[in-house]
Amino acid sequence: MMICLSIKAKTAATAAKYVKNAVRTDLIELRLDYIKDINANKLERILKSTKRELIITDRKERMDLLIRSIELGADYIDIDIFAGTKKINKLIAAKCKTKTKLIVSYHDFEKTDKKELNTKYSRIKKLKPDIIKMAALANSIEDNIIMFDLIKKAEKECHKIIALCMGEKGEVSRILSPLLGSEITYGSIKHGLESAPGQVPVEVLKNTYRIDKLKNPDIFGLVGNPVKHSKGIYLHNDRFRKLKKNCIYLNFCADDIGKFIIDFRQLISGLSVTIPFKKDIIEYLDKTEETAHITDAVNTVIKKGGKLIGYNTDIAGAVKAIKEKTSIENKKVLLVGAGGAASAIAYGIVKEKGKLTIINRTEKKARYLAGKLGCKAADFSGISNLKDIDIVINGTSVGMWPDIKKTPVPKNVLKKIKGKRCTVFDTVYNPEMTKLLQDAKTLGCELVYGKKMFEYQARLQQDLFSKV
Ligand code: ATR
């Protein structure tokens, strides 16, 4: 497997600069079609300026430039199947007895269609290129599985393949395909300089995901929607690196948790679960451990003996974060929210013998949760009637980026209901200092940051992941 730095530059001079400055990469792809002033002489200068392996790709499929690249000793040339058999056969003849390898590629910028991809794969196979390349736009996270299946098929048939999904939903394949048998993955110089949609910077592929250091790793990840803001990829991959584990952790942005689990259960070893799937995932699991069962919310999934088991580490994470600042027993606690995260916190508070009142936008859900745990529920509009609250907790997503000016408890209300010594805990950790915490600080309250709960629950999750 090789990581290829794909270079997108408007002029030959810029392309030459990028090639010269390319470090920490085995392979460079030069996209001639982006370079406005490219000609045979400038191409020669660039090719001779580096000792690194080069892929020459020209989506305008100009034969003079491609044949010149072969003569100049390019390591690979890439031509699209749409260029036609005549051109491709001409290149096969030109590269014969040279070291140049031919990649024949197929692109679909609209969809990932299994049938279509298999047809094109067979057509390319017949041309006998050195490498078959398939790239298609992912419209769902599950589309990546179609590419992974194609990699398996090529492996069985002893064909070298590069298979990836493009677009934001295809990012997963850019990280995992090379680990599953795809010959090359393409990365960008940095965000904003992608030569194809969804490319991940080479630095991120190497430093965050360490894909060049792993071999058939156990695959973990965060499933949710959205997932982009999550810091889990840094935290978990870093811990795997420190523990010298052959494991990887990435973000899975799913639209339908049922479809995701059905398609990915074979591939994954464990999951973190976030908004909005903490409850919905349960029906697709084989078993839930007590904490998940009682709270009706799962934030961690582990695969054991092929069975998916749900856990909830939010409870212990939240309790630990709060107890660093205040005891819970006999304290008057107000919790806003009744979703997955809030249910876990509510369970933790009741177990620690806090006197809990739950309020939620949808009151029915607050009443249901309170009934299950044997605590109180109040009407959202009646929040101002509460008083002497020792601990205020936001268990909703209100205040999360980008809506950072929002707060679930307005400052004047917080001032009215808080006790003399009040602790305010916001489960939102992006931003770290939410509007609720800012208000609480000016009112002299003790603060508990969502980041702490996140770190503690992630550590517990890591312990579970490490045992797989
Ligand atoms: P999670 O698993 O992270 O808890 P969830 O189960 O979807 O996610 O729950 C989200 C919580 O945030 C719910 O309590 C939700 O209130 P509803 O039950 O009324 O949906 C709350 N929430 C989300 N957006 C909100 C908003 N704009 N105002 C008030 N509450 C909100």
Side-chain angles (χ1 to χ4, degrees):
M1 177 268 285
M2 281 192 281
I3 300 176
C4 176
L5 177 75
S6 190
I7 288 181
K8 177 187 175 185
K10 281 189 188 147
T11 65
T14 314
K17 193 179 83 192
Y18 286 152
V19 169
K20 192 169 158 237
N21 293 343
V23 284
R24 301 194 63 215
T25 182
D26 327 306
L27 186 59
I28 299 170
E29 180 192 44
L30 201 57
R31 284 287 301 267
L32 301 188
D33 45 308
Y34 285 120
I35 308 172
K36 288 189 182 131
D37 59 343
I38 195 71
N39 58 33
N41 287 342
K42 288 177 182 172
L43 179 63
E44 180 169 354
R45 241 173 283 149
I46 299 174
L47 259 98
K48 287 189 172 161
S49 72
T50 182
K51 288 200 166 63
R52 289 179 204 282
E53 291 200 13
L54 277 174
I55 302 177
I56 302 298
T57 304
D58 182 26
R59 290 285 161 250
K60 291 179 182 160
E61 323 298 351
R62 287 166 288 190
M63 291 301 280
D64 53 337
L65 291 176
L66 291 174
I67 289 179
R68 187 77 191 115
S69 303
I70 296 173
E71 289 164 4
L72 290 166
D75 301 276
Y76 301 85
I77 49 167
D78 180 329
I79 187 158
D80 194 294
I81 179 86
F82 283 117
T85 317
K86 224 167 132 187
K87 279 189 179 180
I88 295 172
N89 282 336
K90 217 170 163 184
L91 288 180
I92 291 178
K95 73 148 193 118
C96 177
K97 293 189 186 141
T98 71
K99 66 164 188 168
T100 308
K101 293 191 180 81
L102 181 70
I103 302 170
V104 176
S105 53
Y106 168 71
H107 297 85
D108 186 334
F109 292 99
E110 280 171 9
K111 61 189 182 308
T112 301
D113 182 311
K114 192 173 178 171
K115 208 171 145 208
E116 181 89 21
L117 284 169
N118 276 290
T119 311
K120 292 294 186 308
Y121 167 85
S122 300
R123 256 187 73 190
I124 297 178
K125 202 169 76 177
K126 281 196 190 121
L127 296 166
K128 298 198 172 71
D130 297 290
I131 303 178
I132 302 169
K133 179 179 171 187
M134 311 296 286
L137 183 82
N139 290 310
S140 73
I141 188 99
E142 293 81 28
D143 280 346
N144 291 281
I145 296 288
I146 295 175
M147 281 300 173
F148 301 156
D149 287 344
L150 212 53
I151 295 171
K152 271 191 225 153
K153 181 174 166 172
E155 199 164 41
K156 257 196 202 149
E157 297 179 356
C158 291
H159 288 294
K160 288 193 171 172
I161 191 167
I162 300 165
L164 56 94
C165 276
M166 296 182 284
E168 205 174 322
K169 293 195 167 129
E171 193 179 293
V172 163
S173 74
R174 299 201 178 258
I175 301 161
L176 291 183
S177 285
L179 297 167
L180 298 171
S182 183
E183 294 289 315
I184 295 167
T185 192
Y186 299 80
S188 63
I189 295 177
K190 59 177 183 185
H191 283 299
L193 280 180
E194 297 83 5
S195 65
Q199 261 174 14
V200 179
V202 166
E203 284 299 311
V204 177
L205 290 172
K206 289 199 171 198
N207 294 347
T208 306
Y209 295 106
R210 305 172 298 133
I211 64 165
D212 50 338
K213 301 271 183 326
L214 303 173
K215 214 163 191 178
N216 291 323
D218 290 330
I219 298 165
F220 297 88
L222 169 70
V223 64
N225 193 344
V227 288
K228 250 195 155 159
H229 62 278
S230 175
K231 296 189 169 54
I233 54 166
Y234 306 106
L235 213 113
H236 288 287
N237 285 312
D238 196 46
R239 186 95 189 272
F240 287 143
R241 183 178 57 77
K242 282 185 187 138
L243 295 173
K244 296 194 168 65
K245 289 248 169 200
N246 185 33
C247 300
I248 190 166
Y249 185 97
L250 57 159
N251 285 336
F252 297 112
C253 186
D255 292 312
D256 180 325
I257 190 67
K259 275 192 192 152
F260 173 81
I261 292 293
I262 290 165
D263 280 16
F264 278 79
R265 69 174 293 149
Q266 271 251 305
L267 194 73
I268 50 112
S269 296
L271 291 169
S272 309
V273 187
T274 189
I275 290 172
F277 302 131
K278 285 184 178 177
K279 269 189 208 307
D280 297 349
I281 197 170
I282 292 176
E283 65 174 295
Y284 302 99
L285 304 177
D286 301 304
K287 207 177 127 188
T288 46
E289 192 245 3
E290 197 207 341
T291 47
H293 187 64
I294 289 170
T295 54
D296 222 7
V298 158
N299 79 331
T300 310
V301 175
I302 298 295
K303 193 160 81 182
K304 266 189 198 158
K307 297 242 182 311
L308 296 177
I309 306 165
Y311 298 80
N312 194 315
T313 64
D314 276 342
I315 303 167
V319 167
K320 190 167 158 60
I322 297 170
K323 279 176 127 183
E324 273 183 351
K325 294 290 168 75
T326 175
S327 62
I328 297 172
E329 194 170 349
N330 287 325
K331 294 284 171 66
K332 275 176 89 172
V333 184
L334 169 67
L335 169 68
V336 188
S343 307
I345 295 166
Y347 175 74
I349 297 291
V350 170
K351 256 207 140 171
E352 292 289 322
K353 301 194 177 70
K355 291 190 241 158
L356 179 64
T357 304
I358 305 170
I359 59 166
N360 189 45
R361 179 177 61 181
T362 312
E363 196 187 326
K364 203 170 73 187
K365 275 162 74 181
R367 300 238 169 252
Y368 173 75
L369 182 61
K372 222 165 88 168
L373 296 172
C375 63
K376 283 192 222 160
D379 170 357
F380 212 117
S381 55
I383 183 172
S384 309
N385 300 330
L386 301 169
K387 55 176 191 282
D388 295 327
I389 303 290
D390 299 304
I391 307 171
V392 175
I393 305 170
N394 175 29
T396 75
S397 49
V398 178
M400 189 190 286
W401 188 90
D403 296 320
I404 58 169
K405 292 207 171 108
K406 288 194 178 152
T407 172
V409 185
K411 191 174 175 184
N412 60 332
V413 176
L414 181 62
K415 191 173 175 188
K416 206 166 153 209
I417 64 170
K418 75 178 198 61
K420 262 191 203 130
R421 296 178 66 194
C422 180
T423 301
V424 176
F425 168 31
D426 200 336
T427 58
V428 172
Y429 66 86
N430 182 22
E432 207 170 314
M433 192 65 171
T434 59
K435 172 81 170 72
L436 174 65
L437 290 180
Q438 279 171 34
D439 292 344
K441 194 176 175 192
T442 59
L443 293 172
C445 303
E446 191 76 61
L447 308 184
V448 179
Y449 293 92
K451 193 178 153 202
K452 280 281 163 202
M453 172 182 166
F454 173 74
E455 281 170 11
Y456 292 142
Q457 67 77 24
R459 210 169 290 171
L460 293 160
Q461 231 170 42
Q462 270 282 343
D463 295 341
L464 289 167
F465 289 164
S466 301
K467 283 183 203 141
V468 169

